[in-house]
Amino acid sequence: MNTKNADLSLGSGDRDAGPRVLVVGAGAIGGFYGAKLYQAGARVSVLCRSHFEEVRDHGIDIQSIGGNFKFLPEQVIRHPEEYQGVPDFVVVATKVLPEVNAVHLVRPVMGPQTAVVLIQNGLFIEKPFLEAFPSHEIISCLAFISVRRTGPAQVTHQDFGRLALGNYPSGASSKVRLLSQWFERGGVECEVVPQVERSRWQKLIWNASFNPVSVLGGALNTESILKQAELTELLRKAMREVLRLAGAGGYEFPESIIQQNLDATLSMKPFKTSMLVDFEAGRPMEVEAILGNAVRFAMEKNVPVPVLESLHALILSVDRKGRMGGR
Amino acid sequence: MNTKNADLSLGSGDRDAGPRVLVVGAGAIGGFYGAKLYQAGARVSVLCRSHFEEVRDHGIDIQSIGGNFKFLPEQVIRHPEEYQGVPDFVVVATKVLPEVNAVHLVRPVMGPQTAVVLIQNGLFIEKPFLEAFPSHEIISCLAFISVRRTGPAQVTHQDFGRLALGNYPSGASSKVRLLSQWFERGGVECEVVPQVERSRWQKLIWNASFNPVSVLGGALNTESILKQAELTELLRKAMREVLRLAGAGGYEFPESIIQQNLDATLSMKPFKTSMLVDFEAGRPMEVEAILGNAVRFAMEKNVPVPVLESLHALILSVDRKGRMGGR
């Protein structure tokens, strides 16, 4: 194992020797993956804007297919300035929404060696961090998981959990490998990817198609989408446009990946996309991270994406209406 | 005036001398335009499947911006076989839905001189009638009107009311001109069009864009659509595809018609599209007449219409869900 800091080394089983982690955004994703690092023995704190008292007083209950346990963060804080010490990793797990300025939340705790770890959906979401912290490592993670917040301080892990992670825009440093080892120690399957942007494009094939269609088609789970020939064809067209866009970004995928995505989804238990879960809960959806950034990239690169543009315009409108309380 | 049948002539003011009209589908459109022919002095009967008793016993109340009145049909029937006599005109004003077989409803009353008059939305909706009654006149009408059924036997006319009508697929016979005169006598502004299919394409520019977007964008009236730049751009793209399709069908329109449609809509009081009204009432929407037929024509003609196909697949899904009671 190749690491410079002694306190980042694995194996002692002593929490004081574990890495210091601050999780920003202790929702379902942040709560779950923070808890897994905690289980591994890391010194995990959380920045928690809503339900601060519950989490401070009781920790976070993790109800998981892998077993239930209580996640007791080292520090529970409401503002970044309250963090004591310097974290080795700041894990950003907020929703990617125009109104959430995660860079602003992270800045006060950044030490010279602190790495920013993003566990978030979407495309190009690393760019604001790269611009704000050009001399820091940005570790970008994709989570393949079904997890929900089921109470103020309760997270229910329903299925999957794998992470793909690497440095943004590319590379896989010793810190990436170390973080992956800590996650694995907590029971999270990890894949270190040297081209994480490629992985983001790959995930977008599914996300940019299934997410908006699940909401716009009338609040449908994956099975209800895929049993309609016209919607399945619409998914194919949207996916084909993502492939063309990815190509313009320098990442080629074989056309066969479309059928693989459809088959893989059909083989899973029917589920609701993250956009649909947010829509049904009356919460803002990650429209710009998942579709808006792709559509703007298409404009820059002069790639025609009429289906993605249609989906974007419609889902943006539905999201706006929801924000006005009109849903 | 050029007409063969004495009882079709205008001017006597004697209802017995007026044309015999059977209105099939006494909803908002059928109720209103039937009532206008009745006001003009025609002998108007209605085939009424729902609310038969109310209409038979009390007629239909017309609440109109042009004045309120009671429409007392000559005959109110539940099945076409019950009609006594032979109508000069059968006015079909049912919704255009896969489950409504209007040809079947019309067949029993067709005499050798009976003309079929369609006051319906959509593209190519005349074809089943042309096939079923190849030796009869098919008169195709487009209604520009805001009218709603507001009770079992009450129709409220809110705005507009103009008809464009002509023979399908083309022409303007003496019967068309005569019908138009009877409508005008009842106070309905009419335009006799020698190329009614062209008029249908022209109306589709608006219908195929505004209708699905109004539902899919989150139940929006015209104003709420047009204040969103992304949705307005989506309308433009959908309209551009309709223009391309119309061109493939032999009807050219200038690109400027798109802006005209947007400007005209903006200048009107905000209103809900017919699809949105149906959607909100939990009724089936005219998806195939307005979008499905256009998309199938595009496939035949090999014209790419990705935006119309996207809107079609999504609105079809929303409609299916509504039919299953899932809305």
Side-chain angles (χ1 to χ4, degrees):
Chain A
M1 209 172 66
N2 176 12
T3 166
K4 290 170 200 156
N5 297 7
D7 66 347
L8 292 181
S9 61
L10 270 173
S12 72
D14 174 5
R15 198 174 293 280
D16 286 342
R20 294 176 58 109
V21 177
L22 173 63
V23 176
V24 174
I29 290 283
F32 177 76
Y33 286 106
K36 293 313 250 179
L37 291 174
Y38 166 82
Q39 266 196 314
R43 301 169 64 186
V44 186
S45 300
V46 299
L47 169 65
C48 193
R49 290 163 304 165
S50 58
H51 310 296
F52 165 77
E53 278 88 2
E54 287 94 334
V55 175
R56 182 195 56 195
D57 298 346
H58 308 291
I60 300 177
D61 261 322
I62 307 292
Q63 307 281 320
S64 171
I65 47 167
N68 303 342
F69 64 100
K70 177 75 95 174
F71 165 29
L72 293 166
E74 191 178 65
Q75 302 173 48
V76 178
I77 57 174
R78 213 194 294 247
H79 303 288
E81 292 78 6
E82 297 161 18
Y83 186 73
Q84 290 173 15
V86 178
D88 299 299
F89 298 100
V90 181
V91 174
V92 180
T94 54
K95 287 254 165 193
V96 186
L97 299 172
E99 63 268 38
V100 177
N101 188 339
V103 165
H104 182 75
L105 291 173
V106 163
R107 196 184 301 278
V109 301
M110 291 295 286
Q113 302 299 320
T114 304
V116 177
V117 181
L118 307 174
I119 313 183
Q120 295 180 302
N121 257 327
L123 189 69
F124 304 143
I125 54 135
E126 304 90 346
K127 287 188 171 177
F129 294 93
L130 197 64
E131 277 163 31
F133 312 113
S135 57
H136 288 76
E137 276 197 35
I138 311 291
I139 302 176
S140 181
C141 307
L142 292 96
F144 300 84
I145 190 166
S146 176
V147 67
R148 290 198 202 192
R149 185 144 80 176
T150 43
Q154 187 182 61
V155 168
T156 300
H157 170 221
Q158 295 160 308
D159 215 346
F160 315 108
R162 187 170 68 85
L163 284 180
L165 67 166
N167 289 105
Y168 185 84
S170 65
S173 68
S174 56
K175 269 198 179 163
V176 169
R177 289 196 303 275
L178 183 73
L179 180 66
S180 125
Q181 284 164 325
W182 277 95
F183 273 125
E184 296 231 323
R185 193 176 177 184
V188 174
E189 189 194 330
C190 284
E191 183 192 2
V192 171
V193 290
Q195 284 194 307
V196 73
E197 196 164 54
R198 180 182 174 81
S199 304
R200 289 215 167 257
W201 277 109
Q202 185 168 343
K203 198 176 181 197
L204 198 75
I205 298 169
W206 195 95
N207 267 337
S209 52
F210 272 94
N211 269 295
V213 168
S214 69
V215 175
L216 296 170
L220 308 172
N221 68 16
T222 49
E223 183 184 41
S224 303
I225 294 172
L226 290 168
K227 74 182 177 200
Q228 297 187 60
E230 297 85 356
L231 287 187
T232 305
E233 187 52 33
L234 181 62
L235 292 175
R236 281 182 209 280
K237 281 182 201 143
M239 288 180 181
R240 223 169 277 138
E241 291 184 358
V242 176
L243 291 194
R244 222 175 298 140
L245 260 191
Y251 301 104
E252 298 292 339
F253 295 92
E255 176 95 6
S256 58
I257 202 169
I258 293 175
Q259 193 58 46
Q260 281 163 26
N261 265 280
L262 297 175
D263 291 345
T265 309
L266 257 183
S267 77
M268 292 178 204
K269 219 165 50 187
F271 64 98
K272 293 179 179 180
T273 67
S274 65
M275 268 196 194
L276 180 54
V277 170
D278 285 337
F279 172 77
E280 292 190 330
R283 291 192 298 256
M285 298 182 283
E286 296 183 306
V287 171
E288 295 312 303
I290 291 176
L291 274 165
N293 290 349
V295 163
R296 278 180 286 276
F297 183 70
M299 260 187 261
E300 265 175 47
K301 296 286 182 182
N302 255 313
V303 177
V305 291
V307 173
L308 294 180
E309 281 172 347
S310 302
L311 296 174
H312 177 240
L314 293 171
I315 199 80
L316 191 59
S317 172
V318 169
D319 187 56
R320 278 182 188 137
K321 186 143 188 195
R323 283 158 187 265
M324 294 187 304
R327 196 178 289 157
Chain B
M1 207 174 64
N2 175 12
T3 167
K4 291 172 198 153
N5 297 6
D7 68 345
L8 293 182
S9 61
L10 271 173
S12 72
D14 173 5
R15 196 172 296 276
D16 287 342
R20 293 177 58 110
V21 177
L22 174 62
V23 176
V24 174
I29 291 283
F32 177 76
Y33 286 107
K36 292 314 250 178
L37 291 175
Y38 165 83
Q39 266 197 314
R43 301 169 63 186
V44 186
S45 300
V46 299
L47 169 65
C48 192
R49 290 163 304 165
S50 58
H51 310 295
F52 165 77
E53 278 88 2
E54 286 93 333
V55 175
R56 182 194 57 195
D57 298 346
H58 307 290
I60 299 176
D61 261 321
I62 308 292
Q63 307 281 321
S64 171
I65 46 167
N68 302 344
F69 64 99
K70 177 75 98 173
F71 164 29
L72 293 166
E74 192 177 66
Q75 302 173 48
V76 179
I77 59 174
R78 211 195 296 246
H79 304 287
E81 292 78 5
E82 296 161 20
Y83 186 73
Q84 289 173 15
V86 177
D88 299 300
F89 298 99
V90 181
V91 173
V92 180
T94 55
K95 287 252 164 194
V96 185
L97 299 172
E99 63 268 38
V100 177
N101 188 338
V103 165
H104 183 74
L105 290 173
V106 162
R107 197 184 299 279
V109 301
M110 291 296 285
Q113 302 299 321
T114 304
V116 177
V117 181
L118 306 175
I119 313 184
Q120 295 180 303
N121 255 327
L123 189 69
F124 304 144
I125 54 136
E126 305 90 345
K127 287 188 171 176
F129 293 93
L130 197 65
E131 277 162 32
F133 312 114
S135 57
H136 288 74
E137 275 196 34
I138 312 291
I139 302 176
S140 182
C141 308
L142 292 96
F144 299 84
I145 189 165
S146 174
V147 67
R148 290 199 201 192
R149 184 144 82 177
T150 43
Q154 188 183 60
V155 168
T156 301
H157 170 220
Q158 296 158 307
D159 215 345
F160 315 107
R162 188 169 69 85
L163 285 179
L165 68 168
N167 289 104
Y168 184 83
S170 65
S173 68
S174 56
K175 269 198 180 163
V176 170
R177 289 195 302 276
L178 184 73
L179 180 66
S180 124
Q181 284 164 327
W182 277 95
F183 272 125
E184 296 232 323
R185 194 177 178 184
V188 174
E189 189 195 331
C190 283
E191 182 192 3
V192 171
V193 289
Q195 285 194 309
V196 73
E197 197 165 52
R198 181 181 174 81
S199 304
R200 288 215 167 257
W201 276 110
Q202 185 168 343
K203 198 176 182 198
L204 198 74
I205 298 169
W206 196 95
N207 266 337
S209 52
F210 272 94
N211 269 296
V213 168
S214 69
V215 175
L216 297 170
L220 308 173
N221 69 15
T222 48
E223 183 185 40
S224 302
I225 295 172
L226 289 168
K227 74 181 174 202
Q228 296 188 60
E230 298 86 355
L231 287 186
T232 305
E233 186 52 32
L234 182 61
L235 292 174
R236 281 182 209 279
K237 281 182 200 142
M239 289 180 181
R240 223 169 276 138
E241 291 185 359
V242 176
L243 291 194
R244 224 175 295 141
L245 260 190
Y251 301 103
E252 298 292 340
F253 294 92
E255 176 95 5
S256 58
I257 202 169
I258 293 175
Q259 193 57 45
Q260 281 163 27
N261 265 280
L262 298 175
D263 290 345
T265 309
L266 257 184
S267 76
M268 293 179 204
K269 221 167 45 188
F271 64 98
K272 293 179 178 180
T273 68
S274 65
M275 268 196 194
L276 180 54
V277 170
D278 285 337
F279 172 77
E280 291 189 331
R283 291 190 299 254
M285 298 181 282
E286 297 183 305
V287 171
E288 295 312 303
I290 290 176
L291 272 166
N293 290 349
V295 164
R296 279 182 284 277
F297 182 70
M299 261 187 259
E300 266 175 47
K301 296 284 181 183
N302 255 313
V303 177
V305 290
V307 173
L308 294 180
E309 281 172 347
S310 302
L311 296 174
H312 177 239
L314 293 171
I315 198 80
L316 190 59
S317 172
V318 170
D319 187 56
R320 279 182 188 138
K321 184 141 189 200
R323 284 159 186 264
M324 295 187 303
R327 197 177 291 158

